[in-house]
Amino acid sequence: MILVAEGIRPGAKQLTKEITDFVGGEAVKPFLLLLVLAVVGCASTQSPRVADSSARGRWAGKTVVITGASSGIGRGAAVEFGRQGANVVLAARRTNLLEEVAGEVRARGGTPLVITTDVSKAGDIERLAQAAVRRFGRIDVWINNAGLGVVGPFWDAPVADYSRLIDINLKGVVYGSHAAVRQFRAQGGGTLVNVGSVVSEVPMAYYACYSATKAGVLSLDRALNEELRLNRLTGNIKVATIMPWAVDTPWWKHAANYSGHTPRMLALDDPSKVVNAIVNTAEHPSKEVPVGWKAQGAYISHRIAPDITETISGNIVQREQMEKGASAPVTTGSLYRPIQAGRLVEGGQREEMKREDQQRRLPAPPEGPGSQ
């Protein structure tokens, strides 16, 4: 059985463990507010729908376009839609990996189509939409998932990196949304799913431009929903924003990094949680979908107490990224060209963080003779 829901509500024991891990031994009183609100958010979440793993024809004959499909959440969603019988149009820069994902989709019963795409190029997006319609006749769901990050103090990264990040994270979503909505209007309906982030709602220190791009995605989707309402199109065209907490995917390896430390975040979620939320939202659209209790708590907390929520967020990142991370050199990641690292759904970041934490706790080596 596969759980698919807007937010997967953990059992009592799991929730207790996650809260304990989230707070940690270094917690301070302000964290209690976020935790209380997180539990409220969790309690208010609808009971998760359970999809029977034997129902492989759920998406049979329907076409799903996914950008950023070569790894991480995009790859996981592609395989899951394939398992449920969909035509899956795979878009990313790494053609060799897209072919690998296509093999997985095909093996699970789906029909893949590989289109090498740089989402920062409007022409590539137009070509992607045309190829999908030419092959399958229509597009039922379009998922704008491709995205990267720039980590570190805002003033340390070059402006060129921020320009490139905006090209990918925001303009890429604008291009994809434009192509999707125009096709949906032409064919009489469809669902647009844009992958934002919890930082779409709660801006995060040391991820300033990334936060700005994700806030832009949420604002775009809110405006689109209003335009659809005003033009009486909401019955047939749906727009949803997925808002995950930080997730253990190759995103961390692909990010540009000017922090001086390995990129990391507190209590990373498993990518399957976000994959399930995307699949569920594609079938049962909801406008804004914070995924999991941590994202739900931050989302609600920011609505009630934005200043203290942003202070808590900043303190978390300062501790996790700038104080606990191991030393790391400057890198532009995969901003300008694809890299081979990070090829799977999961990124292995939780294990790397665990090793770093264990190393940091080791006693310092004894000083040599004559030391003072």
Side-chain angles (χ1 to χ4, degrees), residues 206-219:
Y206 302 119
Y207 294 77
C209 194
Y210 176 76
S211 297
T213 62
K214 291 301 185 178
V217 170
L218 179 58
S219 187

Side-chain angles (χ1 to χ4, degrees), residues 86-211:
N87 305 318
V88 187
V89 184
L90 307 166
R93 293 178 294 173
R94 296 185 289 181
T95 309
N96 60 327
L97 280 183
L98 290 181
E99 294 293 353
E100 187 177 295
V101 178
E104 290 189 61
V105 169
R106 194 176 295 109
R108 284 162 174 77
T111 303
L113 174 64
V114 169
I115 305 294
T116 304
T117 306
D118 182 340
V119 298
S120 70
K121 298 177 180 178
D124 277 19
I125 293 295
E126 187 62 30
R127 186 168 54 84
L128 171 65
Q130 291 172 355
V133 173
R134 185 166 55 249
R135 174 70 182 276
F136 299 116
R138 60 180 285 121
I139 299 169
D140 296 284
V141 178
W142 184 295
I143 301 169
N144 285 311
N145 165 75
L148 294 169
V150 176
V151 184
F154 178 71
W155 46 84
D156 283 346
V159 168
D161 283 12
Y162 293 138
S163 179
R164 176 64 176 162
L165 187 72
I166 292 167
D167 285 346
I168 296 168
N169 286 17
L170 184 54
K171 290 169 72 174
V173 172
V174 170
Y175 299 153
S177 299
H178 188 264
V181 172
R182 286 174 66 91
Q183 177 61 31
F184 295 161
R185 290 192 67 199
Q187 67 190 26
T191 298
L192 172 64
V193 179
N194 286 332
V195 178
S197 166
V198 68
V199 305
S200 297
E201 177 70 29
V202 186
M204 192 160 64
Y206 302 119
Y207 294 77
C209 194
Y210 176 76
S211 297

Side-chain angles (χ1 to χ4, degrees), residues 19 45 249 355:
I19 291 177
T45 303
T249 69
R355 286 193 295 270

Side-chain angles (χ1 to χ4, degrees), residues 243-365:
M243 302 165 67
W245 182 260
V247 187
D248 186 358
T249 69
W251 184 93
W252 304 91
K253 293 181 175 64
H254 296 162
N257 186 7
Y258 294 87
S259 71
H261 303 274
T262 54
R264 52 184 289 150
M265 178 48 66
L266 187 65
L268 295 179
D269 277 338
D270 191 272
S272 63
K273 182 180 290 188
V274 186
V275 168
N276 289 341
I278 288 172
V279 174
N280 180 69
T281 300
E283 186 173 4
H284 307 284
S286 182
K287 289 181 180 178
E288 296 177 15
V289 186
V291 181
W293 70 269
K294 293 184 288 290
Q296 292 162 8
Y299 181 84
I300 294 170
S301 175
H302 197 254
R303 296 293 183 88
I304 297 171
D307 289 346
I308 193 170
T309 304
E310 290 172 19
T311 297
I312 292 169
S313 170
N315 290 344
I316 290 174
V317 183
Q318 175 67 32
R319 184 183 66 177
E320 289 296 314
Q321 177 62 50
M322 305 305 288
E323 297 175 7
K324 293 173 67 176
S327 295
V330 167
T331 176
T332 58
S334 61
L335 268 182
Y336 297 99
R337 60 187 60 84
I339 61 176
Q340 288 305 306
R343 304 168 63 88
L344 304 176
V345 175
E346 191 167 319
Q349 203 68 20
R350 286 170 292 186
E351 288 302 315
E352 289 185 20
M353 288 167 54
K354 186 182 297 183
R355 286 193 295 270
E356 287 179 3
D357 292 343
Q358 291 170 345
Q359 185 67 31
R360 194 177 62 254
R361 296 188 188 105
L362 291 176

